[in-house]
Amino acid sequence: MNTKFNFAKKAIQTLPIPKTGIAVYHDSNKRALKLRVQSSGTKTFFINRRINGKADRITIGHFPEVSVEQARRQADILNVKIADGINPNEEKRTMREELTFGELFNQFIENHAKPHKKTWKEDKKQFNRYLVSWSSKSLSNISKIQVQKLHLEIRDDHGIYAANRLLALLSTIFNKAIEWGWDQPNPTQRIKKFKEKSRDRFLQGDEFPRFFATLAKESNATIRDYILISLLTGARKSNVLAMRWGEISFKRATWTIPETKIGESQVIPLVTEVLKILQTRFDDPHKTEWVFPSKGKTGHLVEPKAAWKHILEKANIKDLRLHDLRRSLGSWQAATGANLSVIGKTLGHKNTSTTAVYARLNLDPVRESMNKAAKAMLDAAQENSDEEDT
């Protein structure tokens, strides 16, 4: 029997199960990577290496929970450690005996989240909100049942989206623990996320008169202007909140965001209505480096939830979130004839199938589409307002 072949999912799935004992197979595409098939049907990736002169077997994980690609990546990591004189099994034993979830989370933040995730602060908020009671638990004492129970509790108390975001975070944390030497199964494995409905809420034509009339009466100019610019640029909330004057070019009528959520810069054309708002704010002798300044720690507006809620109540508009302003611009662009590539360029979407198209677009059709959408929204407000007056 040929025990050496190029590991692939389908080939591993069809391997014969030995009647007794075990069968061992070797990956022809990765040094030292092997697969053990037991008579019970369990299939386990591992590597065999000599460490400090002694043969040792290091378990990677069970197939299909661990994919071929993941097993190969882990084999690379283990081989590097062995070359550096580290025994991964000793490392695993130390982690299993000593590490608490709180300690793992701190490692996760410092070694992974901060270097690689723009949203690492949100990870810390989730930990403080939902996971702080697990801080002193050893990793081996966190079971799948506990994770499921927490997932259900958060759904009942905070909704399905919060529950699913936390489950995704826990999955990533435990995957990192496994990558760093923990040899237990990920307790989030095969826990299904709650089914989410895609949100399609945006400002409707009959809502614009009330919306703009309420904004016009808003006494806080910073809040009013922030909301209008959010609507008319379609930019993400965090980027609008942290908008700096150094990013604005009145001459080119553009706003250059240094880094968006997807880790790339974005140039947004500024329509006439936005330029008027910005010019008024720029002429303020008390302005700071921020377009929307605040006296808080960041120096800029952070979270206008209370003001937003007040505006919606005054305008008698239900179930509209700040993020829906971004969707509103895209929806009205579509309604006025813009194609998906132009809308994607406007909103800074990163989609593997259309990224190349976005990159070839210049700003002229984007600007034209945004102007059309802005005009349509303002016209809708005027038309519906006239109808209410008659």
Side-chain angles (χ1 to χ4, degrees):
M1 180 177 66
N2 183 14
T3 62
K4 190 171 186 178
F5 65 96
N6 183 23
F7 284 1
K9 182 179 179 180
K10 187 173 182 180
I12 293 176
Q13 287 174 332
T14 56
L15 286 173
I17 305 299
K19 292 182 179 179
T20 59
I22 62 171
V24 176
Y25 298 89
H26 306 252
D27 185 11
S28 61
N29 195 36
K30 182 60 61 179
R31 177 193 175 198
L33 180 60
K34 301 180 182 183
L35 181 76
R36 186 171 67 252
V37 181
Q38 297 171 262
S39 57
S40 63
T42 301
K43 300 171 182 177
T44 309
F45 291 112
F46 69 101
I47 65 170
N48 261 0
R49 293 291 306 278
R50 294 191 71 83
I51 306 172
N52 299 324
K54 181 181 177 182
D56 211 343
R57 182 177 71 196
I58 302 145
T59 300
I60 292 175
H62 299 306
F63 174 86
E65 287 82 2
V66 175
S67 68
V68 173
E69 293 74 17
Q70 289 170 330
R72 285 174 175 162
R73 284 198 298 270
Q74 189 62 21
D76 285 335
I77 293 169
L78 293 171
N79 284 326
V80 169
K81 288 184 176 183
I82 293 168
D84 289 339
I86 299 170
N87 186 329
N89 280 338
E90 291 294 332
E91 195 175 48
K92 288 179 181 181
R93 279 190 284 271
T94 300
M95 177 173 279
R96 184 168 60 248
E97 292 166 3
E98 299 178 0
L99 202 64
T100 65
F101 182 78
E103 291 167 337
L104 171 62
F105 182 78
N106 289 335
Q107 285 188 27
F108 170 80
I109 290 294
E110 296 301 324
N111 299 335
H112 174 72
K114 283 185 178 180
H116 303 292
K117 297 180 68 179
K118 288 179 65 65
T119 57
W120 66 269
K121 291 183 179 178
E122 182 57 34
D123 292 345
K124 291 192 75 170
K125 287 181 181 177
Q126 289 205 68
F127 176 85
N128 292 330
R129 192 178 298 137
Y130 306 122
L131 299 170
V132 72
S133 63
W134 286 11
S135 294
S136 59
K137 282 181 178 286
S138 62
L139 297 189
S140 58
N141 285 333
I142 297 175
S143 66
K144 181 175 181 178
I145 291 175
Q146 288 177 312
V147 176
Q148 287 176 316
K149 183 173 180 289
L150 180 63
H151 192 218
L152 288 167
E153 287 174 353
I154 295 174
R155 179 201 64 181
D156 294 342
D157 294 340
H158 304 279
I160 59 174
Y161 299 100
N164 287 347
R165 297 298 86 74
L166 183 70
L167 182 64
L169 175 61
L170 283 171
S171 176
T172 302
I173 291 171
F174 280 105
N175 280 338
K176 281 297 168 185
I178 293 168
E179 180 181 317
W180 295 332
W182 191 53
D183 63 355
Q184 301 297 311
N186 187 326
T188 68
Q189 279 182 355
R190 298 186 180 180
I191 297 178
K192 292 184 178 180
K193 290 183 176 181
F194 299 117
K195 188 174 181 179
E196 298 181 5
K197 294 181 179 179
S198 58
R199 187 172 171 84
D200 57 5
R201 179 73 164 98
F202 61 94
L203 274 166
Q204 303 293 323
D206 63 332
E207 293 174 325
F208 276 118
R210 304 194 304 276
F211 183 75
F212 282 118
T214 303
L215 279 183
K217 297 174 183 177
E218 173 58 48
S219 59
N220 187 324
T222 296
I223 294 294
R224 179 195 65 224
D225 294 348
Y226 161 74
I227 290 173
L228 284 170
I229 287 179
S230 295
L231 173 65
L232 298 176
T233 63
R236 292 179 175 87
K237 181 175 73 171
S238 59
N239 293 130
V240 182
L241 290 169
M243 182 189 283
R244 285 182 165 95
W245 288 116
E247 300 166 358
I248 305 298
S249 172
F250 286 101
K251 183 177 180 180
R252 294 189 297 273
T254 57
W255 169 26
T256 302
I257 302 174
E259 187 176 9
T260 64
K261 181 181 179 181
I262 60 174
E264 296 179 356
S265 63
Q266 181 186 0
V267 179
I268 295 182
L270 301 176
V271 300
T272 303
E273 289 76 11
V274 172
L275 287 171
K276 288 178 181 178
I277 294 169
L278 291 175
Q279 188 64 62
T280 300
R281 298 190 68 80
F282 185 78
D283 292 339
D284 184 349
H286 302 295
K287 69 177 182 294
T288 69
E289 64 173 307
W290 308 101
V291 176
F292 303 108
S294 170
K295 294 180 180 179
K297 290 182 180 180
T298 63
H300 62 74
L301 193 63
V302 175
E303 188 55 81
K305 280 186 177 179
W308 176 248
K309 181 180 179 182
H310 176 73
I311 287 168
L312 292 184
E313 289 174 352
K314 288 280 189 180
N316 192 26
I317 295 175
K318 309 293 185 184
D319 188 33
L320 190 73
R321 303 172 186 170
L322 278 166
H323 186 76
D324 295 335
L325 297 179
R326 174 173 162 80
R327 189 181 296 107
S328 295
L329 178 64
S331 299
W332 281 84
Q333 282 182 284
T336 52
N339 62 45
L340 293 180
S341 295
V342 169
I343 296 171
K345 179 74 172 179
T346 301
L347 302 180
H349 287 163
K350 187 175 183 180
N351 185 301
T352 53
S353 64
T354 52
T355 298
V357 177
Y358 294 166
R360 290 196 296 270
L361 286 173
N362 62 44
L363 292 179
D364 291 338
V366 178
R367 187 189 305 280
E368 180 182 359
S369 172
M370 291 174 71
N371 274 312
K372 282 184 178 179
K375 185 176 185 302
M377 288 188 283
L378 295 169
D379 287 349
Q382 184 59 47
E383 289 171 6
N384 284 277
S385 178
D386 292 343
E387 290 175 6
E388 290 178 3
D389 291 342
T390 58

